[in-house]
Amino acid sequence: MTFEREERIAFARIISDLIEADFIVEEEEMESFDRIRNEKDFSITMSMLSEAKTMTFAEAVGTLQALRDEAKKARIREKLHHMSLSDGTCVPLEALQIMAVNYALDGKAQVFSIPEGSSFIENMKVIYIENEDHTPTDAYIRQHYRAISNEFRLAGFNFVYIPQIADDYKLIRGDYLHKVIKYMIPTLDEAKVEKIQRDLCSMTTSRFTHELLFKKMGINMLNSKPAFLFKIGESAVADKSGVDDMERNMHSNFLLVPIDQMLGDTHHGAPASILDQVVDLMDSYRSMVSAKLVIENQPLSKKFLYYGFHRSLFDLIAYGKERANYKLVINLQNRAKPVVLRPVDAQNGQPDEGGGDLVIDLTPQPYTLYILMVYMSLLEENLDWTDYVEKDETHKLILEKYNAIYRRVSKGNHSGEYRDKSHVSRIKKALKAHGSIVSNIDLFVPDKVQAGKAVSYRVPLPPDLVYVVEGPKGKEREVRMVDSNFWKSHFWEDNH
């Protein structure tokens, strides 16, 4: 059993986060890491480790989630367990990361990594998330709030039920809360102070999911089922353009566990309740941790609490920057900026004069590859990435399309290959650089799709978010790519 290169890089990222989870890098951990990376199955070079440090924790988990070989998954679980105990103890954040990987490998959870400045949420918080209010699941959580909160507390977590936090803010005398908000942000006018006060006292689970989690933090739960969202730590992600990986950006990591995934088992022969599954989940978590876990209950207060999740909610409402939805605009007549992200409400065909257009910072070959990926995803099938023999007709035809685009966005005429993993990495990095501004950035990032031996890439953008610029100079207009006569034609047969 041998892991592919990208799988080894992803595993190195996760091991790296595990080593740094307790903020102390022990000598025993270094020795354990050296043993693992020198094993034949992994063979992780320092070059791979350097590349791993440019990935987010979520990207690494996503790569390993695609594994179909159960033996490989078991091997990863085994090595993570051994690494966590290499210094004699497994601390809470180490156990959380292992739990995140295990749940993801089983297809029971998602992992998100977002720029730390977008988060405002502390570690060891568990938030109940849902798209609607007053549902049966919400009613169960409200009815059993004390018992669920206590189970999480006994394992060292703060359980957050948004309506409860809003109720706490309602206990604060109105004029006192108004005075505190004005003190915290002296430049706010009265209307904005009153809006923050209303939001603090009326926030619901669904509004938190839409207005804060999605629009300000960039975690998309809009089509998801009720879930528990765990804050599981931070990671330093190296900027590949930095000298010797010295430029690093912090990312916050989250584990999203849909509640229906927790209810797949029975409890003492009967269907398991949410509380039963929380108990089992926390028992499993506690079995990994070598430390005291219980935290104290927070007493009720009519004072303004600027710590814990009360602070998180205030900061998200008051300071969090709201992201916007963007569309992709391709202009083959503009070699300097052939691809930009443009706010969806920008005037048709016109760049935002206020600087709203976001440039995807790439060189001609990655630009060409990305445009081809988008074109293939919308108008044909996904971009084939299977390793064919040299004379394969499928590969030859795709290369013709690649070169037809390449001639329009660069001074070059020809490339002998479109499949370049380094270009895919550059595309993903350039797109994700705008993640703090673009709320729907995940739709623009290419996904690798594997079906048996066939490998392809797809960009999950809907047709209404992909536009191309057409028409003579001075009369340019935006049209959807799927409606473009040029892109629907055999454009690769035109050599001019």
Side-chain angles (χ1 to χ4, degrees):
M1 174 178 55
T2 303
F3 286 85
E4 299 295 328
R5 187 177 190 277
E6 61 183 16
E7 295 165 356
R8 286 179 277 161
I9 291 171
F11 182 61
R13 169 79 252 188
I14 292 169
I15 287 286
S16 175
D17 278 353
L18 201 59
I19 290 172
E20 298 173 24
D22 60 355
F23 311 107
I24 302 172
V25 180
E26 302 279 4
E27 184 176 359
E28 294 86 351
E29 290 175 324
M30 290 291 90
E31 292 171 353
S32 180
F33 174 68
D34 282 340
R35 284 194 297 272
I36 291 173
R37 78 181 190 88
N38 289 320
E39 289 182 16
K40 183 179 178 182
D41 290 351
F42 297 107
S43 299
I44 299 170
T45 65
M46 295 309 287
S47 173
M48 289 181 186
L49 179 60
S50 178
E51 192 171 340
K53 288 182 178 291
T54 68
M55 301 178 78
T56 64
F57 183 75
E59 288 170 339
V61 172
T63 297
L64 297 183
Q65 245 181 322
L67 287 172
R68 299 192 172 196
D69 187 334
E70 293 299 323
K72 285 185 175 181
K73 292 181 182 180
R75 188 93 164 122
I76 288 168
R77 290 189 177 97
E78 173 197 353
K79 292 303 175 185
L80 291 179
H81 178 70
H82 288 166
M83 173 59 76
S84 70
L85 295 174
S86 60
D87 60 354
T89 59
C90 179
V91 300
L93 290 180
E94 289 176 331
L96 260 179
Q97 289 178 11
I98 293 173
M99 186 174 82
V101 174
N102 287 341
Y103 263 67
L105 289 178
D106 289 338
K108 293 182 177 180
Q110 287 178 271
V111 174
F112 298 89
S113 297
I114 64 172
E116 190 177 42
S118 304
S119 171
F120 299 102
I121 296 175
E122 299 171 342
N123 293 331
M124 307 300 290
K125 297 289 186 288
V126 186
I127 310 168
Y128 168 65
I129 300 299
E130 189 169 5
N131 282 305
E132 302 175 62
D133 295 315
H134 311 302
T135 64
T137 306
D138 179 73
Y140 182 95
I141 297 291
R142 182 181 286 276
Q143 183 180 355
H144 297 85
Y145 169 75
R146 186 182 294 269
I148 292 172
S149 181
N150 195 51
E151 285 301 325
F152 280 122
R153 183 182 65 81
L154 293 174
F157 294 92
N158 281 121
F159 177 58
V160 177
Y161 179 56
I162 298 297
Q164 182 64 51
I165 302 295
D167 287 347
D168 291 345
Y169 274 108
K170 289 177 190 174
L171 293 175
I172 303 174
R173 202 176 70 249
D175 61 329
Y176 166 40
L177 180 56
H178 185 279
K179 188 180 294 185
V180 172
I181 297 169
K182 187 68 177 176
Y183 160 77
M184 298 291 283
I185 317 174
T187 56
L188 284 184
D189 59 39
E190 283 301 308
K192 290 182 179 178
V193 171
E194 290 173 4
K195 183 180 185 308
I196 290 174
Q197 185 167 355
R198 284 196 306 272
D199 287 346
L200 288 171
C201 296
S202 64
M203 187 59 60
T204 65
T205 301
S206 66
R207 282 185 58 204
F208 177 83
T209 301
H210 286 252
E211 298 173 17
L212 303 182
L213 196 64
F214 176 59
K215 290 185 178 180
K216 293 192 175 183
M217 290 175 59
I219 296 179
N220 188 351
M221 270 281 298
L222 301 185
N223 297 312
S224 300
K225 296 178 180 179
F228 290 124
L229 183 71
F230 292 76
K231 170 69 183 299
I232 61 174
E234 291 90 25
S235 300
V237 180
D239 184 344
K240 207 163 190 175
S241 64
V243 179
D244 296 328
D245 293 339
M246 292 299 288
E247 297 180 21
R248 307 172 85 199
N249 302 303
M250 296 304 296
H251 283 67
S252 295
N253 301 320
F254 293 86
L255 170 67
L256 183 75
V257 183
I259 289 175
D260 64 352
Q261 293 287 353
M262 298 174 61
L263 300 178
D265 301 320
T266 59
H267 194 79
H268 303 307
S273 68
I274 294 173
L275 178 58
D276 291 334
Q277 289 299 306
V278 168
V279 171
D280 288 347
L281 178 63
M282 290 298 97
D283 283 348
S284 175
Y285 165 77
R286 278 193 292 261
S287 71
M288 291 189 283
V289 181
S290 318
K292 181 182 177 182
L293 298 171
V294 179
I295 59 173
E296 298 298 322
N297 271 323
Q298 180 176 293
L300 289 174
S301 174
K302 295 184 179 181
K303 296 180 180 180
F304 182 87
L305 305 178
Y306 198 50
Y307 64 86
F309 196 82
H310 291 80
R311 175 173 182 166
S312 298
L313 185 63
F314 178 87
D315 286 353
L316 273 167
I317 290 172
Y319 304 121
K321 294 182 180 179
E322 188 167 308
R323 305 173 187 213
N325 283 334
Y326 279 66
K327 61 187 176 184
L328 188 76
V329 179
I330 297 170
N331 185 357
L332 297 184
Q333 301 172 53
N334 185 347
R335 286 185 174 178
K337 301 175 182 178
V339 182
V340 297
L341 303 180
R342 182 168 295 166
V344 293
D345 55 357
Q347 185 178 350
N348 182 42
Q350 298 298 319
D352 188 325
E353 296 300 328
D357 276 5
L358 303 175
V359 177
I360 303 172
D361 189 15
L362 294 169
T363 54
Q365 287 185 325
Y367 267 136
T368 303
L369 179 59
Y370 185 59
I371 294 170
L372 181 65
M373 284 177 170
V374 172
Y375 162 76
M376 296 293 288
S377 299
L378 281 181
L379 289 167
E380 297 196 18
E381 297 180 358
N382 299 341
L383 177 61
D384 200 300
W385 207 264
T386 310
D387 194 11
Y388 291 107
V389 294
E390 189 175 345
K391 294 182 180 180
D392 183 88
E393 290 302 313
T394 300
H395 178 267
K396 182 180 177 182
L397 180 58
I398 294 174
L399 192 56
E400 285 181 17
K401 297 172 184 178
Y402 176 92
N403 282 316
I405 299 170
Y406 185 54
R407 285 191 292 271
R408 288 171 169 84
V409 302
S410 75
K411 295 179 180 179
N413 288 317
H414 178 75
S415 176
E417 180 57 86
Y418 67 87
R419 295 170 302 183
D420 189 322
K421 290 182 179 179
S422 66
H423 290 168
V424 177
S425 297
R426 291 188 186 102
I427 291 166
K428 291 182 176 181
K429 189 173 183 65
L431 289 165
K432 290 181 178 180
H434 298 303
S436 61
I437 300 172
V438 181
S439 61
N440 57 341
I441 193 66
D442 288 344
L443 295 176
F444 298 85
V445 180
D447 293 328
K448 187 176 182 180
V449 180
Q450 191 152 0
K453 293 183 178 180
V455 181
S456 62
Y457 276 95
R458 65 182 287 271
V459 178
L461 279 165
D464 288 342
L465 289 181
V466 183
Y467 286 79
V468 295
V469 176
E470 294 186 342
K473 189 173 183 179
K475 296 184 178 180
E476 297 95 339
R477 62 190 182 97
E478 283 181 12
V479 299
R480 296 193 313 165
M481 176 179 269
V482 293
D483 298 326
S484 165
N485 290 330
F486 172 80
W487 288 100
K488 290 192 294 184
S489 71
H490 287 193
F491 63 87
W492 56 93
E493 295 177 354
D494 179 8
N495 293 321
H496 305 288

